[in-house]
Amino acid sequence: MSIESHDIAHDDHHDHKPSGFLDRWLYTTNHKDIGTLYLVFSLLMFFIGGSMAMVIRAELFMPGLQLVEPEFFNQMTTMHALIMVFGAVMPAWVGFANWMIPMMIGAPDMALPRMNNWSFWILPFAFTMLLSTLFMDSGGPAAGWTLYPPLSLQGGQSFAFVVFAVHMMGISSIMGSINVIATILNMRAPGMTLLKMPLFVWTWLITAFLLIAVMPVLAGAVTMLLTDHFFGTSFFNAAGGGDPVMFQHIFWFFGHPEVYIMILPAFGVVSEIIPTFSRKPLFGYTAMVYATASIAFLSFIVWAHHMFTVGMPLTGELFFMYATMLIAVPTGVKVFNWVSTMWQGSMTFETPMLFAIGFVVLFTIGGLSGLMLAMAAADLQYHDTYFVVAHFHYVLVPGSVFALMAGAYYWLPKWTGHMYSEKWGKIHFWVSAISVNILFFPQHYLGLAGMPRRIPDYSTQFADFNMISSIGGFIFGASQLIFVGVIVHCVYKSRQVATGRVWEGAKGLEWTLSSPPPYHSFNTPPVIDSTTIAHVEEAH
Amino acid sequence: MNGPSHGKLVRKLVLLAVGMFGFGFAMWPLYNVFCDLTGLGGRGVKVVESAGELQKSDRQVKIRFDATVNSGLPWIFEAKEKSTMVSLGEMTEATYMAMNPGNEAIVGQAIYNVTPPEASLYFVKTECFCFTEQVLQANETREMPVYYFIQPDLPEHIKEITLSYTFFRNESANAVALATARETDSE
Ligand code: HEM
Ligand SMILES: [Cu+2]
C-alpha cells in the first residue's frame, strides 16, 4: 500500500482539479480535498452529536421524567460521547493534519495518498453502522462510551455493530496516523529540520504515535467484549471466572492517552495562533516540544486515576495519584509559555485569537478541576458525579473544540481565498464563550453536591443549577449555527479576497502560498530561510 | 517529483500497530498472573507447603462471611454465620445455605473473593462449593460447606478478613442440563 505515492504525483502537474463530482471527492487522493472531506464530515458529526446533547439537556431541564424513556436517555449519553470523540473531534484533527501538515513542511502531498482516501472513506460507513443501532430492536449502546461490562454485555444484538464500528474507526485512525508519521519523517523540504517544524506538526507527530499505540488496544478490548457477548468466552464475565475490573484497566490504558490525542493537536494550533496575533515568536519553542513529548509519555502511566474507586491497594492509589499530578507540570509549562508569548506583545483580537485566548483560560479551569480529581481521597467523593462531567467538558469543549474553531477561523481565508465575516466570527465567539460557561460551570456545583452522572432524573435540590445548565446548553448549541453561517458565507458569498499572507503577523510556509493555495503546492520544495518559518532556533 | 520510498517506515508502523493489538490481548493473561502473584484481585494463590504440618498459632483474626446472588439467578443464598474468630493455622469449616425457590432445576457457579486482597494469599480453601458447579433441584435447599485455614505467616496488620461469594447462573451448564432433561423426559 505504500509504493503508489510516486505515480500519483506524476499525472497532474497542472493545477486543474478532477472535473466530475465523484472523481473530485470519492476517488480523490489530494490532501487538500481529503482534508476538506474530513472537516465537513466532522462538522456533520458535531451537529448529530450535538443534537443528542440537546436531548440530554432537555430531559434534565427539570426533575422528573418528561421527554424520553430512561433507556433512550442512556443511549443518548453513550452515543453523544462516541460520536463527539470518534466522529467529531478526532476526524476534525485529521482534517487539519491533511490540509496543513504538507503545506507547513513544504511537501507536495501526504506520503500515502491512496491510503489517505481509504482512511477517510471508511468513516462514513463506520458511523452509519454506529448510528443505525438506534433504529434496531435492541437499541443503541447504552452502557456509556466506556462500554464497561457487565452492563455493556447485557445489551442486545446491536452490540456487534458497535464493536465493528469501533474497529473501523480504529483502522481509519491508524492509517491516518501512519500517513502523518510517514509524511513528517520523510517528506520535509530540505532545510526543514525537526526543530524548525511548526508546533502543530510536532504535536501531530506525537499524537500519531499515541494513536498507533492505543487504538489497537481499544480494538482488542472491544473484541474481547464481542466474544464475551456472543461466543461464550469469559474475559470479563465474572460468572465464567473473568474480571470486569480488568476491562477497566485495559480500556483506560487506551482511554487516558485518548484524551491527550484530542488535546495535543489543540495545543499545536494554539501555539501557532498566539504568536501570530501577539506579533512575537512563540516563547519557549523547544520547551513546548519537550512538554508535549513528556505529556504523551506520562499519559501511559496514569490510567488508573479513572478507577480510584475500584478498591485498589493504597500503593496503587498513591502511584496513580502522583503520576497524574505530575502531568500537570508539563501542562503548566505550556500555559506559562502561551501567556509569556502574549506578554508585551502587540496583540490584536481577531476571531482566531479570541478563540485561542478563550482556550487558554477555560482549558486551564478544566486542568485545575482535573487536579482536584487526581487526588485519590477526594475522587472517592467526586467520581461518577457531574464534577467529572464538568471537568472533561471544560477540557474538551472550550478546550479541543475551541482550538478547532480557532484553527478553522485562522486558516479559513487560506483555504478559501476569501475573508470570513469578522463581525459574525466575533459574535460566534462571544456567544459560545459565555454560554459554554453557563452550560458547564454549574455542573461543578452539581457534582460537589453529589448529583450522579448518566441519570435521567434527579432530586429536586439539583433543579436550579440543572435548569441554568440546560439554558446555557441550548444557547451554545444554537450559537454553533452561526459558525456554519460564517463558513457558508465565506466559501460562497464573501467578496473580500484574502492575500497570501492573510494575517500580517503570520509566519510559516503555508503563508508563502497564494490563498487559496494551488491544488498541488510545493511540487518543487521551497527554500527554507528564517524569515519564512515560524520557529527559528533562538540560540545563534 | 521523486517521492521517497516509505515502505520501510510504513512496515515498522504497521508492525507496531499489530503488536499493540496483540498486547491488548496479552494484557489479559499478564494481569491475571500479576493478580495471582500479588493477590490484588482478591483471589491470590500461594503455594502451600504440606497442609498436614500446619503450625497452629495463638493469633486470632476475625473472618466475615458475605453472600451475594447475581440478578440473573433466582436463588436465595446466605452465610449461616455472619462472622467468626479463627486461630491462624487451624482448619475451620464455614457453612453457606443456598435455596432454589423456583420449580425447575438450575445450575449455579459461585465465584469467591477475599478482602483485603493481600489476605487472599494466606487464605487457603481445601474444599469449597465454588470449585465445581452446583445444581439445585426445584425447591431444594442445601448446605454448602467451605473448609479453609489461614496461613500463620499472615501479615500482622491484617486483623479482619472478608470471604465473599457471588452465585451466578451457569448459562452453558444450564443449557446442557435442559437438553438432557428433555432427553430423559422423552424416553
Ligand atoms: C491537568 C491535566 C488533567 C488531569 C490531572 C486530569 C485528571 C482526571 C481524572 C483524575 C479523571 C477521573 C475522574 C473520575 O472519573 O473520577 C479525569 C476524567 C476525565 N478527563 Fe481529565 N485530567 C486532565 C486533563 C484532561 C484533558 C486534557 C482531557 C481531554 C482533552 C481530559 C479528559 C477527561 C475525560 C474525558 C474524563 C472522563 C472520562 C469518563 O469517565 O468518561 N482530562 N481526568
Ligand atoms: Cu485520564
Side-chain angles (χ1 to χ4, degrees):
Chain A
M1 57 180 112
S2 54
I3 320 120
E4 295 98 46
S5 57
H6 332 211
D7 2 16
I8 289 165
H10 271 296
D11 315 295
D12 19 37
H13 273 299
H14 343 268
D15 195 39
H16 62 212
K17 312 171 162 90
S19 43
F21 185 79
L22 282 188
D23 284 347
R24 172 80 193 272
W25 298 111
L26 190 60
Y27 304 135
T28 182
T29 55
N30 180 286
H31 74 103
K32 300 183 179 85
D33 283 350
I34 294 177
T36 305
L37 286 171
Y38 267 110
L39 290 172
V40 170
F41 176 80
S42 62
L43 193 62
L44 179 69
M45 287 296 136
F46 183 58
F47 278 95
I48 294 179
S51 46
M52 293 172 178
M54 295 299 107
V55 174
I56 296 170
R57 279 323 316 173
E59 178 58 56
L60 293 175
F61 190 73
M62 284 191 295
L65 295 174
Q66 32 269 332
L67 292 176
V68 293
E69 295 295 313
E71 175 63 18
F72 186 70
F73 182 90
N74 292 347
Q75 294 177 24
M76 286 293 102
T77 52
T78 306
M79 285 292 247
H80 161 72
L82 288 173
I83 300 256
M84 286 304 198
V85 169
F86 295 103
V89 175
M90 288 168 68
W93 286 129
V94 183
F96 275 89
N98 262 291
W99 254 105
M100 301 317 301
I101 289 177
M103 295 206 292
M104 284 176 146
I105 60 173
D109 202 312
M110 295 293 279
L112 311 158
R114 284 194 200 173
M115 191 167 89
N116 207 6
N117 173 292
W118 257 61
S119 343
F120 173 75
W121 279 109
I122 287 180
L123 283 181
F125 293 95
F127 283 89
T128 308
M129 240 163 79
L130 182 63
L131 284 166
S132 70
T133 59
L134 286 175
F135 305 100
M136 294 179 187
D137 284 345
S138 51
W145 80 285
T146 52
L147 303 173
Y148 280 5
L151 191 57
S152 64
L153 296 177
Q154 289 163 11
Q157 308 295 316
S158 67
F159 187 67
F161 284 76
V162 178
V163 170
F164 290 133
V166 171
H167 282 154
M168 286 162 75
M169 298 164 202
I171 291 173
S172 162
S173 297
I174 291 167
M175 293 201 301
S177 303
I178 291 178
N179 218 338
V180 165
I181 295 175
T183 307
I184 297 176
L185 294 187
N186 289 348
M187 311 263 293
R188 275 169 291 131
M192 176 59 79
T193 57
L194 283 178
L195 280 178
K196 280 189 182 143
M197 294 193 313
L199 216 69
F200 178 69
V201 180
W202 257 113
T203 52
W204 239 113
L205 179 64
I206 292 168
T207 302
F209 275 107
L210 283 181
L211 276 166
I212 296 184
V214 300
M215 287 309 284
V217 173
L218 174 68
V222 296
T223 308
M224 287 187 259
L225 285 179
L226 183 80
T227 59
D228 273 11
H229 192 307
F230 294 100
F231 304 112
T233 57
S234 291
F235 289 108
F236 309 124
N237 176 7
D243 188 344
V245 172
M246 199 198 293
F247 175 84
Q248 301 188 18
H249 280 289
I250 300 178
F251 180 88
W252 289 114
F253 182 84
F254 146 81
H256 188 80
E258 166 67 21
V259 307
Y260 281 95
I261 285 165
M262 293 188 278
I263 203 70
L264 292 185
F267 291 168
V269 165
V270 169
S271 305
E272 301 300 327
I273 293 175
I274 290 183
T276 297
F277 297 98
S278 306
R279 291 162 185 80
K280 273 176 67 193
L282 183 70
F283 184 88
Y285 168 81
T286 328
M288 287 298 220
V289 173
Y290 283 112
T292 311
S294 37
I295 289 177
F297 170 76
L298 287 173
S299 73
F300 283 104
I301 55 162
V302 298
W303 74 89
H305 65 215
H306 296 275
M307 310 168 49
F308 282 139
T309 56
V310 298
M312 267 188 286
L314 187 62
T315 17
E317 304 259 337
L318 287 174
F319 172 81
F320 287 108
M321 170 168 127
Y322 291 129
T324 304
M325 292 184 155
L326 207 57
I327 287 209
V329 176
T331 314
V333 167
K334 286 184 169 283
V335 174
F336 179 83
N337 286 352
W338 291 321
V339 175
S340 304
T341 307
M342 290 187 263
W343 184 253
Q344 294 194 331
S346 41
M347 289 164 68
T348 50
F349 299 94
E350 287 85 347
T351 311
M353 184 63 163
L354 288 176
F355 272 102
I357 296 175
F359 170 93
V360 174
V361 173
L362 298 175
F363 170 79
T364 306
I365 295 180
L368 290 175
S369 60
L371 268 177
M372 289 172 71
L373 292 167
M375 284 180 277
D379 186 66
L380 297 189
Q381 163 79 14
Y382 305 152
H383 180 66
D384 266 348
T385 68
Y386 259 82
F387 193 82
V388 178
V389 178
H391 157 65
F392 67 71
H393 281 98
Y394 263 89
V395 283
L396 284 172
V397 182
S400 306
V401 173
F402 269 28
L404 284 165
M405 303 284 178
Y409 282 110
Y410 187 52
W411 284 305
L412 205 54
K414 169 58 58 189
W415 295 337
T416 62
H418 297 284
M419 295 306 285
Y420 59 85
S421 158
E422 195 60 58
K423 177 179 145 208
W424 282 100
K426 283 187 171 139
I427 294 175
H428 174 216
F429 169 75
W430 284 109
V431 181
S432 298
I434 293 169
S435 59
V436 85
N437 283 291
I438 303 176
L439 165 57
F440 294 121
F441 210 82
Q443 296 183 359
H444 290 115
Y445 300 118
L446 288 171
L448 293 178
M451 177 170 161
R453 63 191 281 206
R454 295 171 172 153
I455 303 280
D457 187 8
Y458 49 83
S459 134
T460 46
Q461 59 171 320
F462 303 129
D464 296 350
F465 277 135
N466 268 299
M467 190 178 283
I468 297 172
S469 176
S470 286
I471 292 171
F474 300 143
I475 303 175
F476 183 79
S479 66
Q480 301 322 306
L481 297 172
I482 305 176
F483 183 52
V484 179
V486 174
I487 295 175
V488 170
H489 169 266
C490 178
V491 175
Y492 295 107
K493 287 268 157 62
S494 171
R495 256 171 280 136
Q496 201 187 340
V497 177
T499 61
R501 174 76 40 197
V502 182
W503 313 106
E504 115 214 9
K507 285 207 168 172
L509 287 178
E510 76 265 35
W511 307 109
T512 62
L513 296 167
S514 61
S515 300
Y519 197 56
H520 298 285
S521 40
F522 294 130
N523 273 332
T524 39
V527 180
I528 311 286
D529 68 74
S530 57
T531 52
T532 49
I533 59 173
H535 310 290
V536 194
E537 279 148 285
E538 279 132 63
H540 269 300
Chain B
M1 95 193 219
N2 281 323
S5 141
H6 307 294
K8 235 166 127 188
L9 178 64
V10 171
R11 264 195 296 281
K12 278 189 207 150
L13 293 173
V14 170
L15 212 66
L16 177 65
V18 173
M20 289 309 291
F21 186 63
F23 177 69
F25 284 93
M27 273 199 221
W28 196 80
L30 287 176
Y31 268 118
N32 277 338
V33 171
F34 179 77
C35 287
D36 284 352
L37 296 181
T38 56
L40 284 184
R43 288 197 295 244
V45 278
K46 195 164 148 191
V47 188
V48 206
E49 305 84 67
S50 65
E53 294 164 29
L54 266 180
Q55 294 175 349
K56 266 184 72 172
S57 127
D58 293 341
R59 202 178 131 208
Q60 287 205 316
V61 288
K62 185 174 181 181
I63 313 285
R64 296 166 184 273
F65 302 100
D66 173 58
T68 313
V69 192
N70 180 263
S71 58
L73 181 69
W75 284 5
I76 296 163
F77 173 56
E78 46 201 35
K80 252 188 156 171
E81 318 162 88
K82 287 272 172 281
S83 66
T84 179
M85 295 298 290
V86 303
S87 303
L88 300 188
E90 181 184 27
M91 181 66 78
T92 317
E93 180 187 348
T95 315
Y96 281 79
M97 303 276 295
M99 179 190 169
N100 177 4
N103 42 22
E104 58 185 38
I106 302 183
V107 190
Q109 171 73 53
I111 303 287
Y112 81 97
N113 187 290
V114 174
T115 321
E118 190 188 357
S120 67
L121 291 172
Y122 306 90
F123 199 111
V124 184
K125 294 189 287 324
T126 54
E127 220 182 299
C128 175
F129 57 91
C130 61
F131 292 168
T132 53
E133 52 191 48
Q134 302 288 326
V135 193
L136 283 189
Q137 301 303 326
N139 285 311
E140 184 185 352
T141 304
R142 176 141 23 100
E143 291 198 347
M144 298 191 171
V146 194
Y147 295 92
Y148 67 94
F149 62 89
I150 314 288
Q151 290 184 38
D153 52 346
L154 182 78
E156 279 296 327
H157 66 268
I158 301 180
K159 311 260 189 296
E160 276 186 24
I161 299 175
T162 305
L163 174 64
S164 169
Y165 288 98
T166 303
F167 244 115
F168 291 91
R169 194 188 182 97
N170 188 327
E171 296 293 351
S172 47
N174 278 312
V176 176
L178 209 65
T180 21
R182 286 220 188 90
E183 256 167 48
T184 28
D185 279 353
S186 58
E187 268 166 25

